[in-house]
Amino acid sequence: MKPISISVLTVCGIDELPNHGTLGVTHVLSLIDPGSPALEAFQNYDSHHRTTLNFHDIIEPLNGKVMPGPEHVAEVLQFGEELAASREARSDGHLLVHCHMGVSRSTAAMLTLLAQVHPGETEDRLFARLREIRPQAWPNSIMIGYADDLLGREGRLTAALRRHYGHRIKHDPEVADWMARLGRRREVEMAAD
């Protein structure tokens, strides 16, 4: 696969979308809840390619909710392949990945795309890159697990995710309580030193 000619990588939440409308975004990956209303912020963006995936940000099955599945992560990887294939048709690009808050689904998707583009890079370096893009990243562990499998990383992405969670908790202890209140206690317990 050719390197993706994207010089700007952005992760954000829905409330931040209006801030990026004039920044030359060329590609958008939206990860939003099923049945979410159309996002008006994109009306103020220049022409761009947008892919929307609909599933909830959960890590345990809940009635009426759509769990992230391997098919969703496969669609993220398909988006990455299409992005790479579009390289010859443009000189540069700006990729924006967003979910509701820009913390979990979107950061898991960005990490997946980074791992796809940089297959030889260590998993810890990929998470360091992710923190440079979005310091508050708390990637959805289910999505990372599927990315680990689909990319043939043999558990190394999940192990690095544990260290990433530990890093986040060390630098922002309040995140552990916040995630636990959101039903993500299992991820807090995954954290490694």
Side-chain angles (χ1 to χ4, degrees):
M1 183 187 306
K2 293 181 180 179
I4 296 174
S5 178
I6 297 287
S7 65
V8 181
L9 301 174
T10 301
V11 172
C12 74
I14 290 173
D15 290 349
E16 299 165 90
L17 288 174
N19 302 336
H20 300 285
T22 60
L23 300 181
V25 171
T26 58
H27 295 79
V28 175
L29 179 58
S30 295
L31 305 143
I32 55 178
D33 294 349
S36 292
L39 297 171
E40 295 179 13
F42 290 116
Q43 295 174 6
N44 297 321
Y45 279 51
D46 292 334
S47 177
H48 62 278
H49 171 79
R50 181 171 174 224
T51 296
T52 302
L53 304 180
N54 298 106
F55 56 93
H56 292 96
D57 184 25
I58 55 177
I59 61 169
E60 306 287 348
L62 292 171
N63 283 339
K65 303 285 185 185
V66 178
M67 280 280 292
E71 69 277 11
H72 298 118
V73 177
E75 288 180 272
V76 171
L77 292 170
Q78 178 62 37
F79 175 86
E81 289 175 11
E82 292 169 6
L83 191 57
S86 74
R87 180 177 184 218
E88 300 302 324
R90 60 186 157 75
S91 59
D92 199 5
H94 178 170
L95 169 63
L96 183 146
V97 180
H98 83 88
C99 59
H100 185 75
M101 295 186 68
V103 173
S104 181
R105 286 172 286 189
S106 55
T107 61
M110 182 63 81
L111 191 280
T112 299
L113 293 169
L114 289 170
Q116 180 184 36
V117 172
H118 304 287
E121 195 154 282
T122 69
E123 290 74 17
D124 287 322
R125 177 63 190 128
L126 292 169
F127 277 97
R129 280 182 186 251
L130 180 64
R131 286 190 295 274
E132 291 167 9
I133 296 166
R134 189 72 167 171
Q136 62 268 51
W138 187 275
N140 181 293
S141 61
I142 300 298
M143 293 176 67
I144 296 298
Y146 291 131
D148 209 336
D149 290 342
L150 291 169
L151 293 168
R153 293 270 180 158
E154 301 177 339
R156 295 186 307 273
L157 276 180
T158 300
L161 176 66
R162 296 170 70 92
R163 292 187 292 275
H164 171 78
Y165 287 159
H167 179 274
R168 286 281 289 117
I169 291 169
K170 179 180 177 183
H171 290 87
D172 183 8
E174 295 82 28
V175 75
D177 290 335
W178 181 45
M179 286 298 150
R181 285 195 310 272
L182 291 174
R184 310 291 278 271
R185 183 172 302 281
R186 184 169 56 78
E187 290 177 338
V188 173
E189 292 169 352
M190 284 175 65
D193 293 334

